[in-house]
Amino acid sequence: MKLSRLSLTNFRTYKKFQQPLAPITIFVGPNGIGKTNLLEAIYLLAVLKSYRATVDTEAIRFGEAFAKIGGTITSGKEQTDELEIVIHKGQKRAKKNGAAKPLSQLIGTLKAVLFSPEQLDVVTGPPRRRRRFLDSLLSQIDPRYTQALLEYQKSLQQRNALLLAIKQGGASASELYFWDKRLVETAQAIHPQRTRLVSALNEKLPSCYQAIAGGREVLSIVPRFHTLSLELLQAKLPDDLQVVATTAGPHRDNFTLTLGRRELGFFGSRGEWRSALFALKNAESRFLKDETDEDPVLLLDDVFSELDGARRRHLVEHLKGYQTIITTTDADTVLEYFSKSAHLL
């Protein structure tokens, strides 16, 4: 899979931007000029959601009414697709080859893996960041998962609103049955996929970590998932009414990364966190290739400055065969690991 062209209108710092992309494209410049914005736009084409913005409108250039991201994507079957996303008035619209499509059907048209030091919070941050990691990856390979996730979130909002009405005396607990049933049905499409993903990543993580960090300690994901049922929701109802929120379900799932018997988020060093993150990203890119028989596009946001020489060499070895788009403040540090065919911008 290749992204051969990227175009932006009113996206972040860019009024207008259009650029063909090579197998290896390196964007060079000092911090603050908008290099990361380019990777954000590309990743948004893949998962149709910004990994940096709390709300989509944050990505619109100041003073403008809309933002547009476009890309030309070529798959391994030599099929070329034109994808366009428009953010306007808090909403996103998407087109594929000029035809409007539901967003859930277009996630994964481009498959991408982002390597960024900012993503250390997948290791050390709150559970929602780890759920988002799982959801973004699964959504790129299965539109049915995306649809189930959207339906689950809508049902969850409705159930929580009903909990508030019950607590205020405006509704009866018997009215929860419909939404409880919907939550359980959609959770049944989410839980197995997350479990399968964790199992697949755990097959790859030990070798990925040992290659980048050395040593014999085994990196693994320990899931903290719970199967949702009507019985569990009923048992949790007193707690739910107390906090006016649904306290069980996929929206409460979590996982930890462990190295040996240590939970990295609490007991790891910063060096171990970085190595674990890069191992996780290597496993992610291999998973996407295994599932789709296509290489994802790799996005590296100033990661060479985070790694020593040995780890840089391992990362470059992993990049072979993938289209890679890199940002850096130091071109010389990056270029020494690539051939002269790299496209420097």
Side-chain angles (χ1 to χ4, degrees), residues 304-326:
F304 279 79
S305 62
E306 292 281 318
L307 301 173
D308 59 25
R311 287 173 171 80
R312 288 174 185 170
R313 285 189 291 273
H314 168 74
L315 179 60
V316 171
E317 191 65 27
H318 169 72
L319 300 178
K320 290 180 178 178
Y322 294 96
Q323 182 184 18
T324 306
I325 301 168
I326 301 168

Short mmCIF file of all heavy atoms in Angstrom, two decimals, residues 304-326:
data_model
loop_
_atom_site.label_atom_id
_atom_site.label_comp_id
_atom_site.label_asym_id
_atom_site.label_seq_id
_atom_site.Cartn_x
_atom_site.Cartn_y
_atom_site.Cartn_z
N PHE A 304 13.96 9.38 15.64
CA PHE A 304 15.38 9.04 15.66
C PHE A 304 16.11 9.72 16.82
O PHE A 304 17.08 9.19 17.35
CB PHE A 304 16.03 9.41 14.31
CG PHE A 304 15.79 8.38 13.25
CD1 PHE A 304 14.58 8.33 12.59
CD2 PHE A 304 16.77 7.45 12.93
CE1 PHE A 304 14.34 7.37 11.62
CE2 PHE A 304 16.54 6.49 11.95
CZ PHE A 304 15.33 6.44 11.30
N SER A 305 15.64 10.89 17.23
CA SER A 305 16.27 11.57 18.35
C SER A 305 16.01 10.85 19.67
O SER A 305 16.70 11.10 20.67
CB SER A 305 15.74 13.01 18.45
OG SER A 305 14.34 13.02 18.69
N GLU A 306 15.03 9.94 19.70
CA GLU A 306 14.68 9.21 20.91
C GLU A 306 15.49 7.94 21.09
O GLU A 306 15.43 7.31 22.15
CB GLU A 306 13.18 8.85 20.89
CG GLU A 306 12.26 10.04 21.00
CD GLU A 306 12.13 10.54 22.43
OE1 GLU A 306 12.03 9.72 23.34
OE2 GLU A 306 12.14 11.77 22.62
N LEU A 307 16.22 7.52 20.04
CA LEU A 307 16.87 6.21 20.06
C LEU A 307 18.38 6.34 19.93
O LEU A 307 18.89 7.25 19.28
CB LEU A 307 16.32 5.35 18.92
CG LEU A 307 14.81 5.09 18.92
CD1 LEU A 307 14.40 4.37 17.65
CD2 LEU A 307 14.39 4.31 20.14
N ASP A 308 19.08 5.38 20.52
CA ASP A 308 20.53 5.33 20.33
C ASP A 308 20.84 4.62 19.01
O ASP A 308 19.94 4.17 18.29
CB ASP A 308 21.21 4.64 21.51
CG ASP A 308 20.72 3.21 21.73
OD1 ASP A 308 20.25 2.58 20.76
OD2 ASP A 308 20.82 2.71 22.86
N GLY A 309 22.14 4.51 18.70
CA GLY A 309 22.55 3.97 17.40
C GLY A 309 22.03 2.57 17.13
O GLY A 309 21.53 2.28 16.03
N ALA A 310 22.13 1.67 18.11
CA ALA A 310 21.69 0.29 17.91
C ALA A 310 20.19 0.21 17.66
O ALA A 310 19.73 -0.52 16.77
CB ALA A 310 22.08 -0.56 19.13
N ARG A 311 19.43 0.98 18.42
CA ARG A 311 17.98 0.96 18.25
C ARG A 311 17.57 1.62 16.93
O ARG A 311 16.61 1.21 16.30
CB ARG A 311 17.30 1.64 19.44
CG ARG A 311 17.34 0.78 20.71
CD ARG A 311 16.82 1.55 21.92
NE ARG A 311 16.66 0.70 23.08
CZ ARG A 311 17.64 0.31 23.89
NH1 ARG A 311 18.89 0.71 23.65
NH2 ARG A 311 17.41 -0.48 24.92
N ARG A 312 18.31 2.63 16.52
CA ARG A 312 18.03 3.24 15.21
C ARG A 312 18.23 2.22 14.10
O ARG A 312 17.42 2.11 13.17
CB ARG A 312 18.93 4.44 14.97
CG ARG A 312 18.61 5.67 15.81
CD ARG A 312 19.67 6.73 15.60
NE ARG A 312 19.47 7.88 16.47
CZ ARG A 312 20.35 8.86 16.62
NH1 ARG A 312 21.50 8.82 15.94
NH2 ARG A 312 20.10 9.87 17.43
N ARG A 313 19.32 1.47 14.19
CA ARG A 313 19.61 0.49 13.14
C ARG A 313 18.53 -0.58 13.09
O ARG A 313 18.13 -1.01 12.00
CB ARG A 313 20.99 -0.13 13.36
CG ARG A 313 22.13 0.82 12.97
CD ARG A 313 23.46 0.10 12.99
NE ARG A 313 23.87 -0.26 14.35
CZ ARG A 313 24.54 0.56 15.17
NH1 ARG A 313 24.87 1.78 14.77
NH2 ARG A 313 24.89 0.18 16.38
N HIS A 314 18.07 -1.01 14.26
CA HIS A 314 17.01 -2.01 14.26
C HIS A 314 15.73 -1.45 13.65
O HIS A 314 15.05 -2.13 12.87
CB HIS A 314 16.70 -2.49 15.68
CG HIS A 314 15.45 -3.30 15.75
ND1 HIS A 314 15.35 -4.59 15.29
CD2 HIS A 314 14.20 -2.96 16.19
CE1 HIS A 314 14.11 -5.03 15.44
NE2 HIS A 314 13.41 -4.06 15.99
N LEU A 315 15.40 -0.21 13.99
CA LEU A 315 14.19 0.40 13.45
C LEU A 315 14.28 0.50 11.93
O LEU A 315 13.33 0.17 11.22
CB LEU A 315 13.98 1.79 14.06
CG LEU A 315 12.77 2.57 13.56
CD1 LEU A 315 11.48 1.82 13.85
CD2 LEU A 315 12.73 3.96 14.19
N VAL A 316 15.42 0.93 11.41
CA VAL A 316 15.60 1.05 9.96
C VAL A 316 15.47 -0.31 9.29
O VAL A 316 14.89 -0.43 8.20
CB VAL A 316 16.95 1.70 9.63
CG1 VAL A 316 17.24 1.63 8.14
CG2 VAL A 316 16.96 3.16 10.10
N GLU A 317 15.96 -1.34 9.94
CA GLU A 317 15.83 -2.70 9.39
C GLU A 317 14.35 -3.07 9.28
O GLU A 317 13.93 -3.68 8.30
CB GLU A 317 16.57 -3.69 10.29
CG GLU A 317 16.72 -5.08 9.71
CD GLU A 317 17.59 -5.11 8.46
OE1 GLU A 317 18.48 -4.24 8.31
OE2 GLU A 317 17.36 -6.01 7.62
N HIS A 318 13.58 -2.70 10.28
CA HIS A 318 12.14 -3.00 10.26
C HIS A 318 11.43 -2.23 9.16
O HIS A 318 10.43 -2.71 8.60
CB HIS A 318 11.51 -2.63 11.62
CG HIS A 318 10.02 -2.67 11.61
ND1 HIS A 318 9.29 -3.83 11.55
CD2 HIS A 318 9.09 -1.66 11.63
CE1 HIS A 318 8.00 -3.55 11.54
NE2 HIS A 318 7.85 -2.23 11.59
N LEU A 319 11.92 -1.05 8.79
CA LEU A 319 11.24 -0.20 7.83
C LEU A 319 11.35 -0.71 6.39
O LEU A 319 10.58 -0.28 5.52
CB LEU A 319 11.81 1.22 7.87
CG LEU A 319 11.71 1.97 9.21
CD1 LEU A 319 12.36 3.33 9.09
CD2 LEU A 319 10.27 2.09 9.67
N LYS A 320 12.26 -1.62 6.14
CA LYS A 320 12.48 -2.09 4.77
C LYS A 320 11.20 -2.70 4.20
O LYS A 320 10.56 -3.53 4.82
CB LYS A 320 13.61 -3.12 4.74
CG LYS A 320 14.98 -2.52 5.01
CD LYS A 320 16.08 -3.56 4.96
CE LYS A 320 17.44 -2.93 5.20
NZ LYS A 320 18.54 -3.95 5.21
N GLY A 321 10.85 -2.25 3.01
CA GLY A 321 9.66 -2.76 2.35
C GLY A 321 8.42 -1.93 2.58
O GLY A 321 7.42 -2.09 1.87
N TYR A 322 8.45 -1.05 3.57
CA TYR A 322 7.30 -0.19 3.86
C TYR A 322 7.52 1.20 3.28
O TYR A 322 8.64 1.72 3.31
CB TYR A 322 7.11 -0.04 5.37
CG TYR A 322 6.74 -1.29 6.11
CD1 TYR A 322 7.71 -2.06 6.75
CD2 TYR A 322 5.41 -1.69 6.23
CE1 TYR A 322 7.37 -3.20 7.47
CE2 TYR A 322 5.06 -2.82 6.95
CZ TYR A 322 6.04 -3.58 7.56
OH TYR A 322 5.70 -4.69 8.28
N GLN A 323 6.46 1.83 2.81
CA GLN A 323 6.54 3.26 2.56
C GLN A 323 6.66 3.95 3.92
O GLN A 323 5.89 3.66 4.84
CB GLN A 323 5.30 3.79 1.83
CG GLN A 323 5.42 5.28 1.52
CD GLN A 323 4.17 5.87 0.87
OE1 GLN A 323 3.09 5.29 0.95
NE2 GLN A 323 4.31 7.04 0.24
N THR A 324 7.62 4.87 4.03
CA THR A 324 7.90 5.49 5.31
C THR A 324 7.96 6.99 5.15
O THR A 324 8.64 7.51 4.26
CB THR A 324 9.24 4.97 5.87
OG1 THR A 324 9.22 3.55 5.92
CG2 THR A 324 9.48 5.51 7.27
N ILE A 325 7.24 7.69 6.01
CA ILE A 325 7.21 9.16 5.99
C ILE A 325 7.73 9.63 7.34
O ILE A 325 7.20 9.25 8.39
CB ILE A 325 5.80 9.67 5.71
CG1 ILE A 325 5.34 9.12 4.35
CG2 ILE A 325 5.77 11.20 5.70
CD1 ILE A 325 3.88 9.31 4.06
N ILE A 326 8.78 10.44 7.32
CA ILE A 326 9.55 10.77 8.52
C ILE A 326 9.58 12.28 8.71
O ILE A 326 9.73 13.03 7.74
CB ILE A 326 10.99 10.23 8.39
CG1 ILE A 326 10.97 8.71 8.18
CG2 ILE A 326 11.84 10.60 9.60
CD1 ILE A 326 12.33 8.15 7.75
#
